[in-house]
Amino acid sequence: MLKFSRFGIILVQKEIITKATLEKALEIQSKEDPAHSRGLAEILVSEFNVEHDKIYSLLAKLYAFRTIDINKQQVDDNHIEHIRNILDKIQEDFRKELLVKKILPFHLSTGHKSKLSVLAANPTDKSIEKIPLYTEYKKYEVMYCKVTDLDALIARIFPQEEKKNEYLNLIEESDDEVVNMNEMFTEEKEGVDEYELDDAINSSVLVNLYEGAIVEAVRKGASDLHIIPYKKSSVDFFFRIDGKLQLWHRQNKTSPEAISAVVKDRTSGVDRFERDTAQDGFAQRYIDGRIIRFRVSIMPITSSEFERRFESVVIRVIDDRNVITDFRKLGFQEKAEKDFFNSINKSKGIVLVTGPTGSGKSTTLMAALYHVIDPSVNVLTCEDPVEYAIEGARQLKIGNKLSFEQAIRSILRHDPDIVMVGEIRDKITAETAIKLANTGHLTFSTLHTNDAPSAISRLFKMGVETFLLAYAMNIIIAQRLVRKLCKFCKRPLSEEKYQAALDLGLTQEDIESGKIYEAVGCSKCTNGYKSRLNICEALYFTPEVRKAIVESGDEIDEDAIRKIAEGQGMLSMLDSGIDRIRHGLTSIEEIAYAVSED
């Protein structure tokens, strides 16, 4: 039986968490490696989404740490400079560790007995104990500070825009060097010295621009960085944030070939001298105290200047901090979440997630996998490419000697309990998934279809028999991601948009409630939106749905299946979106766009 700590009991007494949540958190803690186990507070915040400051403010009181309110404390420019001076005296790696952990040296008292005052979002963090070992400050006092206040203070000390400008200014100050590089690329002669070009690129400030773009992409939460030639001597850098491309910077007086060469030089698995075929590579960087991985795709593209050899570069940011390990945090609506939970807790059957590229299919499957992974089961995944390392799973390595199709065929001989097939691509993968499900394995996979019923038709047309389809499936989830309205600037719907709301399916009563909002835009968001959430339809395979599939003739009757499912409580994609609008989470424009093809 798990023993409750005094801190846990107080949290329950103050109704910050429930007793059930405490028990689950303690169970997670008991399964962790004792040498690297997390504290109860950290588990509650990261795994159960309990508000950080509610937990740690109570922890600070319990251990008698002083609390400081930054809003009431005068932190002027002189004080900011004072903090910077303290940080400059701390070795770089340890300084990064402190800042990542939200630990900030705040004030150094001078005199006979100097003492360092330290602010911390978690005053019990073990990194604080290293201060006397890794710095010249032997005496220190720790004070608790709200994490939002600390973030704001750190942003003042290290303004991100200033960092971006630092990279860009380096370029502007070096126009001559960039122009010289352009000449090297545009000279029409046979004997261009690639070694001379290599030296020029490696010493070029274009490296700073590229590295700065990568850092900014991570810090701004971009999923992808696009580097695209713009005319003959300019290059555009775009970030994909919340599903939309946004221009971050246009670099003028720079040859697109020069930027491509810089990217290739800093990417593993690609050939710098190959400019006529698609290439895939990878890279990793240490950014803000974390290893961040990048998948790099390079493709040759045409231009109006036929003699030039332009290339498009897309870099996928793979940040493990973005992995959702608790499927409850996916934010499914009540009925969909209940059916999803029932489906992934079965010992066999297929859990299929469908939707277009960028709809969050992989995120959903990762969260489902983490729910079922256990030391008592053999979990195999077959993905091409593998993006995230999944703790507790054996991820098959696809390469020249083991293709995706070969790996799929070999899975059954490797004694699996649970299998994730990255994507059902053809009849081979479809039949393997069906065979796994029908031989007692829980199987996860994805498919590219617009809605849940059409996934059944797609599999049927691949050659899977209706009887096998009906009894192999647990659930099909079709989903989209829509942008979430910024909570700071959203406003009630304008009168001129009333008709559009009614056309979408909202009622006059909905509009008059004042709970239907539209995007505005402020300094805390992008054009009125911040982050994303899903809309989905979850087709749970009840006996009635299975019967309808088995009784299908030469063609699956998608409308009949949809009618049965909706009669049993399934929300359509549109109804799911309307529900999100009614809760003030997104706009009518976002839902209309997301379901426009349905």
Side-chain angles (χ1 to χ4, degrees):
M1 183 176 176
L2 297 169
K3 184 179 179 181
F4 288 4
S5 64
R6 182 186 169 204
F7 178 52
I9 293 170
I10 294 173
L11 286 170
V12 174
Q13 289 174 343
K14 290 187 174 290
E15 297 183 349
I16 295 173
I17 60 172
T18 64
K19 185 179 178 181
T21 300
L22 176 60
E23 289 173 345
K24 290 176 184 176
L26 290 172
E27 185 177 353
I28 291 172
Q29 189 181 41
S30 68
K31 292 179 180 178
E32 293 185 341
D33 181 356
H36 303 95
S37 64
R38 295 172 293 171
L40 175 61
E42 186 179 350
I43 291 172
L44 288 170
V45 171
S46 61
E47 303 294 335
F48 296 90
N49 207 26
V50 182
E51 189 178 328
H52 182 284
D53 291 326
K54 281 186 178 179
I55 294 287
Y56 283 102
S57 61
L58 183 61
L59 189 67
K61 286 180 182 177
L62 187 64
Y63 288 100
F65 287 104
R66 194 151 62 94
T67 297
I68 186 167
D69 188 341
I70 292 297
N71 292 327
K72 295 180 181 178
Q73 183 84 16
Q74 292 298 318
V75 184
D76 55 22
D77 291 343
N78 290 333
H79 197 156
I80 294 294
E81 193 59 35
H82 175 68
I83 296 172
R84 286 186 182 134
N85 290 335
I86 298 172
L87 290 168
D88 286 342
K89 294 178 181 179
I90 299 176
Q91 196 268 338
E92 184 178 3
D93 288 344
F94 185 55
R95 182 171 69 240
K96 286 180 178 178
E97 180 182 334
L98 292 177
L99 293 175
V100 166
K101 297 287 190 68
K102 308 294 184 190
I103 301 165
L104 181 67
F106 185 65
H107 179 70
L108 179 64
S109 60
T110 56
H112 179 62
K113 293 183 178 180
S114 61
K115 184 171 69 173
L116 181 68
S117 298
V118 179
L119 304 184
N122 172 12
T124 63
D125 195 296
K126 294 187 184 302
S127 294
I128 298 170
E129 299 172 5
K130 301 178 187 177
I131 290 174
L133 297 174
Y134 293 99
T135 75
E136 63 183 61
Y137 311 113
K138 305 307 176 187
K139 293 186 177 181
Y140 62 91
E141 177 191 12
V142 184
M143 297 178 287
Y144 164 71
C145 181
K146 290 181 180 178
V147 68
T148 49
D149 289 351
L150 263 176
D151 283 338
L153 186 55
I154 291 171
R156 283 186 63 191
I157 299 166
F158 303 105
Q160 302 301 320
E161 192 61 31
E162 181 182 298
K163 191 67 175 175
K164 171 187 171 183
N165 291 335
E166 178 185 321
Y167 291 119
L168 302 187
N169 289 338
L170 282 170
I171 298 294
E172 292 169 3
E173 291 167 5
S174 306
D175 280 343
D176 291 341
E177 182 183 346
V178 174
V179 170
N180 289 338
M181 290 182 65
N182 290 343
E183 292 171 357
M184 295 181 72
F185 277 102
T186 54
E187 279 184 13
E188 292 298 324
K189 61 180 183 180
E190 286 294 321
V192 174
D193 190 335
E194 293 284 359
Y195 291 103
E196 182 182 344
L197 175 60
D198 185 64
D199 290 338
I201 290 172
N202 285 329
S203 63
S204 171
V205 291
L206 291 183
V207 173
N208 292 322
L209 175 62
Y210 171 59
E211 294 294 339
I214 284 179
V215 172
E216 282 290 293
V218 172
R219 288 176 173 169
K220 289 184 177 294
S223 61
D224 301 88
L225 164 62
H226 289 237
I227 303 175
I228 309 169
Y230 178 76
K231 298 184 178 178
K232 62 181 180 180
S233 60
S234 297
V235 181
D236 285 343
F237 290 74
F238 285 88
F239 293 159
R240 185 177 292 280
I241 299 175
D242 293 339
K244 302 291 183 181
L245 285 176
Q246 302 173 16
L247 180 64
W248 175 68
H249 174 65
R250 173 168 291 162
Q251 178 57 37
N252 296 314
K253 298 182 182 179
T254 300
S255 166
E257 294 96 331
I259 290 289
S260 294
V262 168
V263 173
K264 290 176 183 177
D265 266 7
R266 279 146 188 82
T267 301
S268 298
V270 300
D271 182 356
R272 215 279 299 287
F273 306 105
E274 177 57 68
R275 301 186 182 99
D276 296 315
T277 188
Q279 298 190 75
D280 293 312
F282 65 92
Q284 66 180 31
R285 297 288 187 276
Y286 188 76
I287 299 174
D288 294 339
R290 295 292 294 265
I291 294 292
I292 308 295
R293 300 187 304 281
F294 303 90
R295 196 178 75 228
V296 182
S297 172
I298 303 170
M299 297 188 72
I301 57 175
T302 60
S303 74
S304 57
E305 300 173 78
F306 64 89
E307 75 281 0
R308 301 290 291 275
R309 301 165 86 177
F310 286 172
E311 292 170 293
S312 170
V313 177
V314 176
I315 301 171
R316 168 62 55 89
V317 180
I318 303 172
D319 188 343
D320 290 325
R321 292 172 295 185
N322 297 330
V323 174
I324 297 175
T325 58
D326 182 353
F327 82 93
R328 290 166 297 186
K329 293 181 181 178
L330 293 171
F332 283 110
Q333 285 140 316
E334 186 178 356
K335 178 70 165 57
E337 183 177 288
K338 180 182 176 182
D339 290 341
F340 187 33
F341 181 80
N342 289 338
S343 299
I344 65 178
N345 279 289
K346 292 183 177 181
S347 61
K348 62 180 181 178
I350 297 177
V351 174
L352 190 64
V353 183
T354 77
T357 301
S359 61
K361 299 187 297 295
S362 296
T363 300
T364 297
L365 283 187
M366 289 279 285
L369 263 183
Y370 270 106
H371 179 78
V372 299
I373 284 176
D374 184 273
S376 65
V377 293
N378 176 17
V379 180
L380 297 178
T381 76
C382 183
E383 311 156 80
D384 186 20
V386 174
E387 289 191 347
Y388 294 98
I390 304 172
E391 188 176 346
R394 305 178 204 178
Q395 296 173 271
L396 305 190
K397 188 175 182 180
I398 307 301
N400 294 331
K401 295 184 178 181
L402 181 66
S403 68
F404 185 81
E405 289 72 20
Q406 289 171 326
I408 286 292
R409 291 179 186 274
S410 302
I411 279 177
L412 276 167
R413 297 193 295 272
H414 210 69
D415 188 30
D417 295 293
I418 298 168
V419 176
M420 182 175 83
V421 178
E423 181 186 347
I424 294 179
R425 303 178 175 184
D426 49 31
K427 186 178 180 180
I428 293 173
T429 50
E431 287 180 341
T432 304
I434 295 291
K435 188 173 182 180
L436 282 163
N438 285 330
T439 52
H441 303 87
L442 184 61
T443 307
F444 298 91
S445 193
T446 67
L447 191 67
H448 290 278
T449 60
N450 286 333
D451 57 29
S454 65
I456 302 171
S457 294
R458 176 72 60 84
L459 291 170
F460 178 66
K461 289 173 183 176
M462 283 183 182
V464 181
E465 295 293 335
T466 54
F467 177 84
L468 294 175
L469 263 177
Y471 290 97
M473 290 287 176
N474 291 349
I475 194 170
I476 299 176
I477 295 176
Q479 68 179 49
R480 302 283 189 282
L481 292 178
V482 295
R483 290 182 296 171
K484 197 173 179 180
L485 284 167
C486 173
K487 63 182 179 180
F488 295 102
C489 65
K490 67 181 181 181
R491 67 186 177 199
L493 194 67
S494 303
E495 191 171 341
E496 59 267 23
K497 295 182 180 179
Y498 284 3
Q499 188 57 50
L502 293 170
D503 292 343
L504 189 65
L506 290 158
T507 66
Q508 188 67 36
E509 186 180 350
D510 290 330
I511 295 170
E512 291 172 357
S513 71
K515 295 179 180 179
I516 311 301
Y517 296 94
E518 65 182 9
V520 179
C522 68
S523 61
K524 297 180 183 292
C525 66
T526 303
N527 299 324
Y529 298 96
K530 183 72 173 176
S531 185
R532 290 189 289 178
L533 73 162
N534 71 32
I535 58 172
C536 79
E537 54 184 34
L539 176 57
Y540 187 66
F541 276 57
T542 61
E544 293 79 9
V545 171
R546 297 185 197 277
K547 182 181 178 184
I549 296 171
V550 170
E551 292 176 353
S552 298
D554 296 332
E555 192 169 340
I556 300 293
D557 189 341
E558 296 177 20
D559 291 335
I561 293 170
R562 175 177 292 282
K563 187 175 181 180
I564 293 168
E566 289 183 357
Q568 294 174 343
M570 182 188 84
L571 292 177
S572 68
M573 196 76 71
L574 176 59
D575 289 337
S576 175
I578 288 174
D579 181 68
R580 297 298 197 191
I581 294 173
R582 283 175 176 149
H583 283 85
L585 297 173
T586 191
S587 65
I588 58 172
E589 291 87 353
E590 280 293 293
I591 299 303
Y593 177 78
V595 302
S596 59
E597 73 274 17
D598 296 336

